[in-house]
Amino acid sequence: MNTLKIKCYAKVNLTLDVWQKKEKYHPIKSLVSTIGIYDDLIIKRRNDYKVTLKIKGNKLNVPREKNNAYIAVAAFMKKHKTFGADITLIKRIPESAGLGGSSADIAGALKAMNELYETQDDLECLASSLGSDVNFLLEGGFCEISGRGERVEKLPELKKQYVIVLTAKQGVGARECYENFDNRKETPSPVTDIVKEEFLKTGKINYKLLKNDLTLSAKSINAQIGANEAALKAYDCEAVLMSGSGSAVYGIFSDEKKRDSAYRQLKKFYKKNIIKTETV
């Protein structure tokens, strides 16, 4: 096999418990699920040590050497002494939205290189060195992540959740959001363990308990997050949440028809800043 195409799925945080920084990172605990928004990653083997990159779809404002798929391929080559690759990345996951687009591309690139060069690396050590959510996005599904995001516990399959994502015109940088969280000196009230325990007993998510500790910090940086929350709450959502450190906000619907009806109404106003999807 000389060429491989991989779907790199986005994620949403159903819960996100955050504590004050310890050393370099904020300890977190979160229930996360992959959703049906994805980047396409096409990687072709080379017979030399070069790495090339073409990006299609959503524009990225970073040089090639700082692109996450490029970084992942270079790191893999360094570890395993392999030849290089030609990368084509078709971007669909919104940038700086808290949907895990960067980590998804890293995970996809590592999996592709591992298969193309038949190295049989379990990838976890390399993945965790490149990004906090990468270990989770190597497999996806419904999981609990903890530590700085590198510890992953696979959970039983989650019943499909129908989702509308609203993106803001301006993103929120994760570093800025976490720094703002520290400056606000917010007192966390963890919910992940409670929601997880109830889910394991009943197979159901308690929507009333879902929350994201970074929401207030992100709202103070980007006022559109609050406006997007209010827009979704006008419809029959089970829950409305911000994902990660923002700026994307999403609504969960228990019924596909309700989701589709809300999407048709909101599409009139949000145009390119609305996405209809579901958990996968």
Side-chain angles (χ1 to χ4, degrees), residues 11 32-34 133-143 145 152:
K11 58 82 179 173
V32 287
S33 174
T34 39
D133 293 332
V134 182
N135 272 352
F136 160 60
L137 289 168
L138 287 172
E139 297 295 332
F142 183 47
C143 298
I145 61 173
V152 182

Side-chain angles (χ1 to χ4, degrees), residues 12-231:
V12 289
N13 299 81
L14 280 76
T15 66
L16 181 54
D17 302 331
V18 182
W19 288 267
Q20 295 295 318
K21 184 186 288 186
K22 292 183 178 179
E23 297 177 354
K24 294 183 179 180
Y25 299 99
H26 293 78
I28 68 158
K29 186 173 281 191
S30 177
L31 297 180
V32 287
S33 174
T34 39
I35 56 174
I37 306 169
Y38 59 87
D39 295 340
D40 273 323
L41 185 70
I42 304 164
I43 293 189
K44 182 179 179 181
R45 287 178 59 150
R46 292 183 64 94
N47 294 319
D48 55 28
Y49 296 98
K50 292 181 180 179
V51 180
T52 68
L53 174 66
K54 293 180 181 178
I55 299 176
K56 302 178 181 179
N58 297 346
K59 293 182 179 180
L60 295 176
N61 298 315
V62 294
R64 180 187 65 171
E65 293 76 11
K66 292 188 177 180
N67 177 272
N68 288 284
Y70 183 97
I71 290 170
V73 167
F76 188 94
M77 291 169 59
K78 182 178 180 180
K79 178 177 180 181
H80 292 286
K81 312 301 183 200
T82 66
F83 284 140
D86 296 320
I87 308 166
T88 301
L89 179 61
I90 304 170
K91 284 297 297 180
R92 297 186 186 90
I93 304 172
E95 191 178 8
S96 298
L99 297 173
S102 297
S103 295
D105 294 345
I106 293 171
L110 293 179
K111 288 192 294 183
M113 291 292 285
N114 203 31
E115 187 168 343
L116 285 176
Y117 284 102
E118 300 178 344
T119 49
Q120 299 182 338
D121 189 332
D122 67 12
L123 298 178
E124 289 187 3
C125 290
L126 186 54
S128 62
S129 72
L130 295 173
S132 296
D133 293 332
V134 182
N135 272 352
F136 160 60
L137 289 168
L138 287 172
E139 297 295 332
F142 183 47
C143 298
E144 178 191 85
I145 61 173
S146 58
R148 60 178 177 86
E150 83 284 4
R151 296 200 293 269
V152 182
E153 178 188 348
K154 191 78 172 179
L155 297 175
E157 185 175 350
L158 178 67
K159 180 182 176 181
K160 183 181 288 187
Q161 308 289 297
Y162 299 99
V163 175
I164 290 176
V165 178
L166 297 181
T167 60
K169 293 180 180 179
Q170 292 292 121
V172 173
R175 179 177 294 180
E176 182 182 9
C177 188
Y178 275 98
E179 287 177 354
N180 196 27
F181 174 84
D182 289 337
N183 293 336
R184 292 170 63 88
K185 300 188 185 302
E186 295 183 32
T187 302
S189 53
V191 298
T192 298
D193 285 343
I194 300 170
V195 176
K196 173 187 169 184
E197 184 177 351
E198 190 169 334
F199 172 76
L200 292 175
K201 287 180 179 178
T202 67
K204 297 179 180 179
I205 293 291
N206 188 334
Y207 298 106
K208 294 180 180 179
L209 293 179
L210 305 186
K211 73 176 185 66
N212 180 336
D213 282 344
L214 295 177
T215 302
L216 292 178
S217 298
K219 281 183 179 180
S220 69
I221 297 168
N222 187 337
Q224 192 180 351
I225 294 170
N228 288 353
E229 270 190 335

